[in-house]
Amino acid sequence: MAVASVERHKLIGDVHLLLTDEQGRILFGRRANTGFADGAYHPPSGHLEADESVVDALVREAAEEIGVEIAPGDVEFVHVMHNSSSGGRVAFFFRVARWQGVPDNREPDKCDSLEWFAVDALPDEMIPYCREALDRIASGDTISLYGW
């Protein structure tokens, strides 16, 4: 008896850096010239590359996007979200309170501003799934679904 082949679901993984200062504020960049949600604020983030751990991806993205150096041991997992966009994405959110360097916009072609926001005073214009994830993190949830 032949068994029908079922294609396995392929996920896109992304990492999101919740870089927090001594006041507990989170660093956000304002998207620009990307064609997606330009004008919206979002924490530094990026796609997971092949053969890269989520922590390695976060460390790499921090250096590429905002020029800070993060030790892997200073990375704290806070949330994972399974998002239905693009057929299914998994977004990993990490908090980092200790780093080396001064955050600087290293991608002015994609971001026109870096700003710190308090958790209870987030910007009005945000990508919706990110706002949902931050609300869930504030509630103590470590996992959520979005759009399913």
Side-chain angles (χ1 to χ4, degrees):
M1 173 176 6
V3 176
S5 173
V6 176
E7 184 179 346
R8 292 185 181 252
H9 184 75
K10 294 180 180 125
L11 292 173
I12 297 169
D14 29 73
V15 294
H16 302 265
L17 171 61
L18 305 179
L19 194 73
T20 58
D21 67 6
E22 53 284 335
Q23 298 167 0
R25 298 177 304 170
I26 300 170
L27 183 69
F28 285 82
R30 187 172 59 201
R31 298 176 59 86
N33 306 312
T34 68
F36 175 75
D38 290 334
Y41 285 90
H42 198 80
S45 62
H47 292 110
L48 184 63
E49 294 179 358
D51 298 322
E52 183 177 51
S53 77
V54 292
V55 172
D56 289 344
L58 189 78
V59 169
R60 175 183 53 76
E61 289 290 348
E64 288 176 2
E65 291 190 15
I66 58 171
V68 299
E69 183 179 326
I70 297 171
D74 290 330
V75 173
E76 174 192 6
F77 166 79
V78 291
H79 194 78
V80 63
M81 172 182 274
H82 190 193
N83 183 338
S84 67
S85 73
S86 302
R89 303 172 76 96
V90 177
F92 298 92
F93 290 80
F94 298 96
R95 183 179 297 123
V96 173
R98 187 170 48 201
W99 67 89
Q100 298 294 318
V102 176
D104 178 51
N105 184 6
R106 299 284 174 99
E107 295 186 329
D109 57 320
K110 298 179 190 176
C111 173
D112 66 6
S113 174
L114 292 178
E115 297 181 46
W116 296 95
F117 290 94
V119 175
D120 61 354
L122 295 174
D124 290 334
E125 189 69 31
M126 286 180 61
I127 296 173
Y129 83 84
C130 183
R131 182 178 299 281
E132 173 72 16
L134 291 174
D135 288 347
R136 299 297 292 270
I137 292 165
S139 297
D141 297 332
T142 56
I143 187 169
S144 64
L145 301 175
Y146 185 83
W148 293 100

